[in-house]
């Protein structure tokens, strides 16, 4: 899987001249000019068609993606079955969890649910910022806190004893996704058959 900047030097022309990741970082802490320059140089826009892999065990994942348009899901393969482990949509980050920020093979897949427009964030850039700028470590910690809160919530949903309780909790935690992505991904995520989810939705 070859992910590269196809926009050249004009990659930020449609974004006011700078990477959208800068605005995300600034939500947590003001940035200096050097950090902004590194982000502008290392990140770049990418597009993926529907039902395409952004990452898979066949390649070493070298990026986290800031989703600007579209939705994706992370999944593991059990035989011929796909088990969705998380779902992300616009304005969220997507990356393989088992090798987060590492250039190593993971058994996890990231697949687009619909066409995706995103910002590719190289792991090498993240490490460069962490090693040289305390501000970057602060921003990274705050963003990691949000990620771990999400991981904790996903684990909580999976441990609820009934399909109804898992669906009700999904509505509380992810209301923006229930009408955003096909129900087959929601059903897989909360551990039930699509027919069971449809039956629960009809009753409630």
């Amino acid at each position: 899987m070859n992910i590269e900047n196809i926009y050249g030097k004009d990659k930020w022309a449609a974004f006011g001249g700078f990477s959208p990741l800068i605005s995300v970082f600034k939500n947590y802490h003001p940035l200096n000019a050097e950090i902004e320059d590194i982000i502008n140089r290392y990140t770049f826009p990418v597009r993926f068609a529907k039902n395409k892999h952004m990452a898979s065990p066949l390649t070493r994942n070298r990026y986290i993606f800031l989703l600007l348009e579209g939705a994706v899901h992370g999944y593991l393969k059990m035989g011929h079955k796909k088990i969705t482990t998380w779902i992300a949509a616009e304005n969220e980050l997507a990356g393989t969890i088992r090798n987060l920020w590492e250039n190593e093979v993971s058994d996890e897949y990231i697949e687009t649910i619909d066409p995706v427009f995103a910002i590719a964030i190289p792991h090498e850039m993240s490490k460069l910022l962490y090693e040289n700028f305390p501000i970057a470590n602060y921003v990274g910690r705050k963003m990691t806190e949000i990620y771990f809160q999400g991981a904790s919530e996903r684990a909580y949903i999976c441990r609820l004893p009934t399909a109804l309780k898992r669906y009700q909790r999904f509505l509380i935690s992810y209301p923006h996704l229930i009408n955003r992505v096909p129900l087959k991904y929601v059903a897989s995520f909360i551990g039930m058959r699509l027919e069971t989810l449809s039956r629960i939705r009809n009753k409630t």
Side-chain angles (χ1 to χ4, degrees), residues 60-192:
R60 294 181 182 273
N61 177 36
R62 297 184 292 119
Y63 302 92
I64 296 174
F65 299 94
L66 172 62
L67 303 178
L68 302 180
E69 299 173 9
V72 306
H73 73 127
Y75 73 87
L76 301 174
K77 269 189 175 181
M78 301 295 175
H80 296 293
K81 188 176 182 181
K82 296 179 179 180
I83 308 297
T84 294
T85 55
W86 55 269
I87 305 170
E90 290 85 358
N91 302 312
E92 295 181 308
L93 293 172
T96 51
I97 295 170
R98 292 167 179 258
N99 63 347
L100 190 63
W101 290 306
E102 297 297 333
N103 184 23
E104 296 179 358
V105 173
S106 169
D107 55 353
E108 196 173 8
Y109 296 77
I110 302 177
E111 184 180 46
T112 60
I113 294 173
D114 40 37
V116 162
F117 185 40
I119 303 301
I121 308 166
H123 292 328
E124 61 177 324
M125 185 204 77
S126 300
K127 291 182 177 179
L128 174 65
L129 292 178
Y130 291 154
E131 290 170 358
N132 293 278
F133 302 97
I135 291 174
N137 282 274
Y138 176 83
V139 172
R141 179 176 66 80
K142 298 301 291 185
M143 296 177 73
T144 303
E145 285 176 9
I146 295 173
Y147 158 74
F148 276 113
Q149 289 169 359
S152 176
E153 182 63 23
R154 292 192 295 271
Y156 177 79
I157 290 175
C158 291
R159 285 169 172 77
L160 292 174
T162 68
L164 176 60
K165 288 183 180 297
R166 293 195 295 276
Y167 174 67
Q168 290 173 333
R169 185 69 185 191
F170 181 88
L171 291 180
I172 293 172
S173 302
Y174 305 98
H176 62 294
L177 292 178
I178 192 62
N179 294 314
R180 174 65 183 80
V181 301
L183 289 179
K184 66 178 182 178
Y185 299 109
V186 176
S188 178
F189 177 65
I190 56 180
M192 65 184 72

Side-chain angles (χ1 to χ4, degrees), residues 15-61:
F15 299 93
F18 61 90
S19 171
L21 185 65
I22 290 175
S23 297
V24 174
F25 275 28
K26 284 183 174 179
N27 287 331
Y28 302 98
H29 197 285
L31 305 179
N32 60 42
E34 190 174 0
I35 292 177
E36 292 188 17
D37 178 65
I38 290 172
I39 294 173
N40 280 328
R41 284 191 287 115
Y42 276 83
T43 63
F44 55 91
V46 288
R47 290 188 181 275
F48 296 90
K50 181 179 179 179
N51 298 328
K52 295 297 182 180
H53 286 121
M54 299 170 71
S56 79
L58 300 178
T59 59
R60 294 181 182 273
N61 177 36

